[in-house]
């Protein structure tokens, strides 16, 4: 039953070849989000392992992580914390730089978004290289969070990002895998 459910979810993802550059297949979740049954199924599947447990905050990575993370936080009766690109949050922030394929970027979180010891679930749509997700984990830990797990709809296992999170002692939950980049 679980495999059939995830197969239906996988069918709701649109694949766009050669975007954003030649050789890349972009996995577009907007088609999943616009399908009420698929969206509900994805959120329920992300929530299931943590329902009834203690999750104080769900942290979502800009931007699709906001959509999924907000829904997951609602289902878990947890707070939601946005992790944003530098300069987008209005209050005092803590930031971290992380490597991109060509250069670096920074993300921020409000300094008071997490209380020390809060149990936090990190959510985003896709894990590829793991650079953004690992930076988010380090940022959360920097302000005292206990990162319980990281959840993603899609994993691109050939790229190795999920393993990088596991190497940081963060359990990883994904709903489906796609081959390639």
């Amino acid at each position: 039953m679980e495999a059939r459910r995830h197969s239906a979810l996988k069918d709701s993802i649109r694949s766009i070849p050669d975007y954003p550059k030649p050789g890349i297949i972009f996995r577009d979740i907007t088609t999943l989000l616009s399908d009420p049954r698929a969206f509900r199924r994805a959120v329920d599947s992300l929530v299931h392992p943590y329902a009834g447990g203690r999750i104080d905050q769900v942290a979502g990575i800009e931007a699709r992580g906001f959509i999924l993370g907000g829904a997951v936080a609602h289902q878990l009766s947890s707070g939601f914390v946005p992790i944003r690109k530098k300069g987008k949050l209005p209050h005092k922030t803590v930031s971290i730089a992380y490597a991109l394929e060509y250069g670096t970027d920074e993300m921020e979180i409000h300094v008071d978004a997490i209380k020390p010891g809060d149990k936090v679930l990190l959510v985003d749509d896709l894990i590829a290289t793991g650079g953004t997700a690992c930076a988010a984990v380090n940022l959360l830990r920097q302000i005292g969070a206990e990162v319980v797990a990281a959840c993603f709809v899609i994993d691109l296992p050939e790229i190795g990002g999920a393993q990088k999170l596991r190497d940081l002692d963060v359990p990883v939950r994904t709903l489906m895998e796609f081959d390639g980049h």
Side-chain angles (χ1 to χ4, degrees):
M1 181 68 162
E2 185 78 10
R4 189 172 44 203
R5 195 171 321 152
H6 290 306
S7 175
L9 281 179
K10 194 170 190 176
D11 291 343
S12 73
I13 303 294
R14 176 174 33 212
S15 296
I16 303 171
D18 299 320
Y19 183 83
K21 63 183 186 178
I24 302 293
I25 300 174
F26 185 83
R27 305 303 177 172
D28 179 17
I29 70 157
T30 62
T31 47
L32 178 147
L33 297 173
S34 69
D35 177 337
R37 293 182 73 195
F39 186 31
R40 177 63 181 219
R41 227 177 270 133
V43 171
D44 287 349
S45 295
L46 291 171
V47 165
H48 179 73
Y50 312 102
R54 180 179 153 215
I55 300 292
D56 300 304
Q57 301 287 341
V58 173
I61 300 172
E62 187 169 353
R64 290 172 297 276
F66 292 0
I67 300 164
L68 294 164
V72 168
H74 172 75
Q75 291 290 90
L76 292 173
S77 297
S78 301
F80 176 78
V81 175
I83 298 176
R84 302 227 41 201
K85 293 178 181 167
K86 186 170 179 59
K88 300 289 185 179
L89 291 171
H91 185 57
K92 186 177 177 184
T93 61
V94 175
S95 66
I96 192 166
Y98 60 101
L100 297 170
E101 190 173 354
Y102 301 104
T104 61
D105 205 351
E106 285 187 69
M107 64 174 65
E108 297 179 322
I109 191 169
H110 279 137
V111 70
D112 59 356
I114 304 288
K115 292 182 214 74
D118 273 358
K119 293 186 181 296
V120 176
L121 180 64
L122 180 65
V123 176
D124 204 0
D125 66 322
L126 182 139
I127 180 78
T129 65
T132 303
C134 288
V137 166
N138 289 328
L139 184 61
L140 289 162
R141 287 177 172 169
Q142 185 178 332
I143 61 171
E146 178 188 332
V147 181
V148 172
C151 297
F152 307 89
V153 173
I154 300 168
D155 181 18
L156 304 178
E158 292 175 29
I159 302 175
Q163 185 57 50
K164 289 178 185 172
L165 284 172
R166 290 182 190 103
D167 291 345
L168 292 174
D169 295 321
V170 177
V172 176
R173 174 161 172 76
T174 62
L175 303 184
M176 66 189 77
E177 295 180 351
F178 282 95
D179 293 331
H181 294 87

